[in-house]
Amino acid sequence: RLDDAPLDADPKVASALELVERLRELTECDDDHRYRDLVGQVVYGAQELVAQGVADEGYRTLLVLATHAGDDAKRSFAQRESASEGLTQLAHGAALDDLMARACDPSADTSLHATGILRELGSRCAARVLDRLEVEMDSERRERLTGVMLAMGEEVAPALAEAIAAGSKRRQRLALRLAGETQNPRLVPNLREAMLDGHDEVAREAAHALLRIGDVSSLEALAEGLTS
């Protein structure tokens, strides 16, 4: 299976064979400069295949790069940085859409692996995941996408702060609910402002999020809102 063994799973198209060989070479590489060159090659090769509609090869490459980016036992700092940069270059457009779709897959194994890549990407993809969540109508996929956002932890704070401050009403309310679920004190100033300046429905959502965060700063903000 591609999820469990991205270097061993056979590609569905012959044109992907070279990419798989480069990914194997990348995995065996211990020279930082050569590694960086190989990252550039595999990202370009994956982008070409994704553009041709071969989404599996974009996903294969993301799996390998995410593993390397988080492997501080085997990879040097320079290699982890190169892998992380490669992730950023590849994880947008159709490749990112496919990754989010896999994170919502009914298969727990596929969903887990895709969510792991999204966690590694963190703030670099949080706003796009929020975009997808905003328009998703299926309750099960919404639940999975919410789980992805929560799994990112601290990394989602900038995207949520921006949505609270400048998003549409639907996006703002979604971000307020997620802010409460993440229980991140960094968002207290944004929640306070939304509570004091927002309409009744927005103010209630912001107050509820502050209550869920529950630290001293959030409770002080909540008390200020109740007395204003």
Side-chain angles (χ1 to χ4, degrees):
R1 281 174 51 85
L2 184 58
D3 293 293
D4 299 319
L7 297 178
D8 297 326
D10 292 332
K12 295 179 180 178
V13 295
S15 56
L17 288 170
E18 183 178 352
L19 173 64
V20 175
E21 285 304 312
R22 293 289 79 74
L23 287 168
R24 289 171 179 158
E25 185 179 351
L26 180 74
T27 299
E28 296 300 320
C29 182
D30 58 8
D31 179 84
D32 291 348
H33 294 293
R34 175 60 179 160
Y35 185 93
R36 186 175 184 83
D37 289 342
L38 285 169
V39 167
Q41 292 177 34
V42 299
V43 167
Y44 177 78
Q47 288 172 331
E48 289 288 296
L49 287 162
V50 170
Q52 295 167 25
V54 190
D56 277 359
E57 298 312 317
Y59 181 55
R60 184 197 304 271
T61 305
L62 289 170
L63 281 167
V64 173
L65 291 175
T67 299
H68 291 191
D71 186 3
D72 56 2
K74 182 177 179 181
R75 301 291 160 191
S76 67
F77 176 79
Q79 289 180 14
R80 296 198 305 275
E81 285 291 295
S82 295
S84 183
E85 290 172 11
L87 270 179
T88 302
Q89 292 167 18
L90 181 54
H92 63 85
L96 181 54
D97 288 341
D98 174 70
L99 183 61
M100 288 189 288
R102 292 175 193 263
C104 297
D105 195 280
S107 164
D109 195 38
T110 297
S111 178
L112 183 64
H113 282 87
T115 298
I117 299 171
L118 291 167
R119 284 184 62 186
E120 186 65 40
L121 286 161
S123 61
R124 292 169 285 179
C125 71
R128 186 68 189 92
V129 177
L130 191 61
D131 290 343
R132 181 70 166 262
L133 183 54
E134 185 180 0
V135 300
E136 182 57 65
M137 301 303 293
D138 181 85
S139 59
E140 186 172 334
R141 288 195 293 270
R142 282 182 62 83
E143 184 178 348
R144 288 183 180 272
L145 286 169
T146 298
V148 169
M149 293 292 286
L150 296 179
M152 290 183 190
E154 186 80 12
E155 293 288 304
V156 303
L160 294 182
E162 182 178 353
I164 291 169
S168 66
K169 284 289 183 276
R170 179 181 174 85
R171 189 179 183 86
Q172 185 182 38
R173 291 183 60 201
L174 173 61
L176 288 168
R177 288 195 293 272
L178 285 168
E181 292 190 53
T182 61
Q183 298 182 321
N184 188 341
R186 279 182 58 189
L187 294 169
V188 167
N190 308 93
L191 294 170
R192 173 187 174 277
E193 185 173 347
M195 180 181 60
L196 295 176
D197 298 340
H199 298 296
D200 288 348
E201 200 169 353
V202 169
R204 282 196 298 271
E205 289 277 7
H208 183 64
L210 287 167
L211 187 61
R212 291 199 66 179
I213 291 173
D215 73 346
V216 173
S217 64
S218 65
L219 295 178
E220 287 177 348
L222 185 59
E224 180 184 356
L226 293 174
T227 56
S228 63

